[in-house]
Amino acid sequence: MQLILSRNASFSHESGQVLYKTTLHKIKPNDDPMDMHDQFDTIGEIEWHFIGSSTFRLHGETMQSNEFLPSRGLLRWKRTFMGPDGRAYRWNMLINAVVLSRDDETRTEVARYYRGSLGIIGRKQKPRLEVDA
């Protein structure tokens, strides 16, 4: 699945329907099938701090980013965490992308975030998140 990141910090799929907002809302079905207005459930929020650790609130739990996503590696471009499924995962910060994979011997890629490009060098691209289903 490919999720496109828009300027208003929401993720939509290829047809343009908003599925997630970065305030960590998740789309939920409407009770009335005739109601075409999107409804969202809040699943979490991030309180970003420029200096110091940011605060994550997810499913009623509060965590500091340096505890939830500790830095690893020589340049500290890797962030590791334990997923809700009990498996270890890692974000690898690359020059043109950020890759989420399992932090085990398989290194199975789960998702890849591509930064946007203005098209000055190469083609213009919107920022997007590709998730393996």
Side-chain angles (χ1 to χ4, degrees):
M1 173 187 347
Q2 189 175 88
L3 300 173
I4 309 299
L5 180 62
S6 69
R7 284 189 177 172
N8 67 358
S10 62
F11 286 94
S12 59
H13 79 39
E14 294 92 343
S15 70
Q17 181 183 10
V18 175
L19 299 176
Y20 297 93
K21 296 180 180 182
T22 53
T23 52
L24 301 178
H25 292 90
K26 182 179 185 292
I27 195 164
K28 68 177 182 177
N30 290 333
D31 296 330
D32 179 2
M34 300 307 290
D35 181 2
M36 297 305 292
H37 292 92
D38 289 335
Q39 297 179 20
F40 292 88
D41 278 337
T42 301
I43 58 173
E45 63 183 346
I46 303 171
E47 183 181 304
W48 295 106
H49 299 168
F50 182 69
I51 298 174
S53 186
S54 297
T55 303
F56 289 29
R57 290 179 195 81
L58 187 60
H59 301 293
E61 189 177 341
T62 300
M63 308 162 250
Q64 297 302 307
S65 61
N66 63 344
E67 296 168 6
F68 179 62
L69 293 167
S71 298
R72 302 276 189 263
L74 181 63
L75 299 175
R76 306 188 59 77
W77 284 9
K78 296 178 176 81
R79 299 280 185 159
T80 59
F81 67 98
M82 192 63 69
D85 59 0
R87 294 181 180 166
Y89 292 90
R90 66 192 272 168
W91 284 105
N92 290 333
M93 315 309 171
L94 306 176
I95 292 171
N96 63 342
V98 181
V99 178
L100 176 65
S101 59
R102 289 200 184 137
D103 193 22
D104 60 16
E105 59 280 345
T106 69
R107 293 281 190 259
T108 303
E109 188 171 311
V110 177
R112 182 177 286 253
Y113 172 77
Y114 292 93
R115 295 174 177 89
S117 167
L118 297 174
I120 297 168
I121 298 174
R123 66 185 179 104
K124 183 177 180 176
Q125 295 185 87
K126 292 182 179 182
R128 67 190 187 281
L129 177 67
E130 293 180 353
V131 181
D132 289 339

